[in-house]
Amino acid sequence: YTPDISLTSEEGLSRSDIAKFAELDGVQEAYGRMFGYAKTTFKATRLTEEYKTMMDGIEVQENGLFVPTEKSWFISYDPNQFKWAKEDLINGVLDEKALDQQDGIIAVVNNLRNNVSARTTDLQVGDKVYVETPAGTRELTVMGVLRSVPFSDSELNLATFITTEKLLSKLTGVTNFEVIDIQLQSKNQEPTVQAIKDMAGDKMTFYDFRQKNAEVDQAFLTMAVFIYGFVAVIALISILNIFNTMTTSIAAKTRYLGVMRAVGMSGTQLNRMVVAEAITYSLIGCLSGSILGVILQKYLIQNSLSHFKVPWHFPTSQLILILVITLLVTVISVISPVRRIKEKGISEVLNSF
């Protein structure tokens, strides 16, 4: 959800404005966001010690709810933004229809207050949040927990919540979008940018983030080349080790294999025996390496990255890929040594040592 172009207006932006920009040739996505503030409260036990220290204590009522001294920041998402945010979902669901029907909100763990990251709350799925709205206090249910959002609030807030456009309007009274974000197609962007400028006119403020995004992409690419290059070197060493191990193993058994051929072993049986031995080595190596690797990965993510709430998922696809590559390399590694043995006569093989 990183935009190439952003538009803002002091008068506010409507849904029809979004539709006009979305229809332009060269526009890939156009989406808006509403922002609003409202006083919220919930069980005081869900406030972090970090926030209680910053506030120099919190007044707790008899019902267990605290008295809020700051407002919470509410952000609206559309279906596309909910889809993109699933990568940062720690728990719960991100479904616009369900949120509207059940008065649901999404809590954000890493809250950016006054452009500084702070863990202010520890809300969980199912917790009740009470919001002061123009129509009175409204009870909402936390239906999901996000690790973070790509926006920073310049004001001091209690917490950050994500909800739908419809529900945010009911909670805060905001009806207009504050920002329209536009993603451009990769080719022929300048005519599209000029058309957006012309359509925006003087009533909208135009922000071009393409250069900044290109610099971020370049930095990411540089880091990715370094990291995946390191992984590729490790993979290459592993593949060469498999070839070396199997070649050495078969060479050490040349006389034994010659004896087996002398007593009647066929070429097909020889192939099966060598492949079975090679696959056994590979499966043992894969199993031990995968167990140790998964344990280390889980430990690093859940301990070293616990502050960032990075979710850990069992790496099923990676383990399957490793297994397939290892078995494929193992089978290929025995082809040449076995062929050399079969090309020699039985007497030549028996007298080779």
Side-chain angles (χ1 to χ4, degrees), residues 63-174:
N63 58 6
L65 304 179
F66 66 92
V67 178
T69 57
E70 296 177 329
K71 291 185 176 181
S72 292
W73 192 33
F74 287 83
I75 306 171
S76 74
Y77 271 15
D78 66 3
N80 268 332
Q81 293 173 85
F82 278 122
K83 180 182 68 177
W84 296 331
K86 287 182 179 178
E87 291 185 2
D88 288 323
L89 183 65
I90 297 174
N91 197 7
V93 296
L94 291 172
D95 184 87
E96 184 180 32
K97 186 176 180 180
L99 290 171
D100 280 334
Q101 291 178 345
Q102 302 177 37
D103 280 352
I105 55 173
I106 308 298
V108 179
V109 174
N110 295 318
N111 182 33
L112 286 169
R113 42 185 275 120
N114 196 20
N115 298 315
V116 177
S117 179
R119 292 280 302 278
T120 56
T121 67
D122 189 26
L123 289 164
Q124 303 297 322
V125 173
D127 287 346
K128 300 298 181 182
V129 176
Y130 302 91
V131 183
E132 292 185 15
T133 73
T137 302
R138 187 162 183 165
E139 180 185 275
L140 303 177
T141 303
V142 176
M143 296 182 63
V145 179
L146 277 184
R147 183 165 59 90
S148 62
V149 292
F151 318 113
S152 180
D153 189 8
S154 59
E155 299 185 19
L156 291 172
N157 60 61
L158 165 63
T160 300
F161 295 103
I162 304 296
T163 188
T164 66
E165 297 166 1
K166 178 181 178 181
L167 191 53
L168 186 139
S169 297
K170 294 179 180 178
L171 297 175
T172 64
V174 174

Side-chain angles (χ1 to χ4, degrees), residues 181-303:
D181 285 336
I182 300 173
Q183 292 178 341
L184 304 175
Q185 295 177 3
S186 58
K187 297 181 180 179
N188 300 322
Q189 293 184 347
E190 292 308 320
T192 306
V193 171
Q194 187 58 50
I196 293 173
K197 287 181 178 179
D198 294 340
M199 190 176 294
D202 297 330
K203 72 172 185 176
M204 300 181 191
T205 304
F206 179 92
Y207 299 95
D208 192 337
F209 296 113
R210 289 179 294 166
Q211 181 62 36
K212 178 183 176 181
N213 293 343
E215 293 172 357
V216 172
D217 287 342
Q218 186 61 43
F220 176 81
L221 179 61
T222 302
M223 183 62 69
V225 168
F226 172 77
I227 293 175
Y228 287 110
F230 184 68
V231 172
V233 169
I234 294 175
L236 180 60
I237 292 174
S238 301
I239 291 172
L240 293 176
N241 186 51
I242 292 174
F243 272 92
N244 181 64
T245 300
M246 296 316 305
T247 300
T248 304
S249 176
I250 294 174
K253 293 182 175 67
T254 300
R255 188 180 180 87
Y256 169 74
L257 296 175
V259 171
M260 297 301 293
R261 290 179 64 197
V263 298
M265 176 179 279
S266 66
T268 301
Q269 290 173 323
L270 177 65
N271 291 339
R272 290 176 180 174
M273 185 180 74
V274 173
V275 170
E277 180 183 356
I279 290 178
T280 301
Y281 290 154
S282 299
L283 290 177
I284 293 174
C286 267
L287 184 62
S288 58
S290 297
I291 291 174
L292 293 174
V294 169
I295 292 174
L296 178 60
Q297 182 197 57
K298 185 176 181 180
Y299 174 81
L300 290 174
I301 289 178
Q302 293 186 344
N303 291 273

